[in-house]
């Protein structure tokens, strides 16, 4: 047996061994991108959300859903309606009432929808496929509601443009960048 034959046989056995370990997450195969992907496991639970840090309500619901997944041993499929256009199309199909409110929870089998932030008990009932009443009032943590009192009760409710422009404490970093960009564009347009 020549040296070249030994190298070819060794390469063949290494290729066979790499295919055998292809399913192992600890030792991924270098050919993994070319192997057929496994299908996602079916779950009736869908969670339509926005990217982390964009909406406080979605971030809160993400923590609640994660807790419920661990508690009940279920999997909730997440859809980013801001970045994924197919997720947005699905969201629009499901939101037949036209509320356009994120986060949105949808149960495929019971066809129940939960709009906006809600408490852990309601999410638990939703995940189990139980019937949800329409007149439920969730008990949310105090962090979800930010009320700012300026002390200007006698001003008659008039809000100046300066007040609206300068109050951006509730905006995400991405929204602040957009606001600054719009200011620069308006200043450019006014100079012409």
């Amino acid at each position: 047996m020549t040296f070249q034959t030994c190298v070819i046989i060794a390469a063949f056995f290494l290729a066979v061994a790499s295919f055998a370990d292809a399913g192992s997450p600890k030792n991924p195969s270098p050919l993994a991108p070319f192997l057929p992907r496994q299908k996602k496991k079916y779950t009736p639970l869908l969670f339509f959300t926005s990217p982390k840090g964009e909406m406080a309500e979605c971030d809160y619901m993400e923590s609640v859903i994660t807790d419920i997944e661990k508690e009940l041993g279920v999997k909730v499929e997440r859809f980013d309606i801001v970045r994924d256009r197919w997720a947005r199309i699905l969201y629009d199909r499901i939101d037949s009432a036209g509320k356009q409110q994120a986060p949105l929870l949808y149960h495929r089998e019971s066809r129940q929808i939960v709009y906006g932030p809600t408490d852990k008990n309601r999410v638990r009932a939703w995940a189990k496929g139980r019937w949800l009443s329409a007149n439920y009032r969730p008990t949310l943590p105090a962090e979800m509601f930010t009320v700012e009192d300026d002390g200007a009760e006698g001003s008659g409710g008039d809000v100046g443009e300066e007040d609206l422009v300068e109050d951006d404490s509730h905006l995400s970093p991405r929204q602040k960048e957009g606001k600054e960009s719009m200011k620069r564009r308006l200043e450019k347009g006014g100079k012409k």
Side-chain angles (χ1 to χ4, degrees), residues 48-69:
F48 294 91
T49 184
S50 65
K52 187 173 184 174
E54 296 251 338
M55 290 180 62
E57 296 89 356
C58 291
D59 295 342
Y60 168 73
M61 287 301 292
E62 177 65 38
S63 65
V64 170
I65 296 245
T66 304
D67 292 344
I68 294 296
E69 283 179 323

Side-chain angles (χ1 to χ4, degrees), residues 101-120:
Q101 185 177 5
L104 180 133
L105 303 172
Y106 180 69
H107 196 290
R108 290 180 191 173
E109 294 171 0
S110 67
R111 301 181 115 188
Q112 300 222 38
I113 300 174
V114 177
Y115 293 99
T118 189
D119 60 1
K120 200 172 187 177

Side-chain angles (χ1 to χ4, degrees), residues 16-27:
V16 170
S18 68
F19 276 116
D21 290 338
S24 170
K26 292 181 182 176
N27 188 14

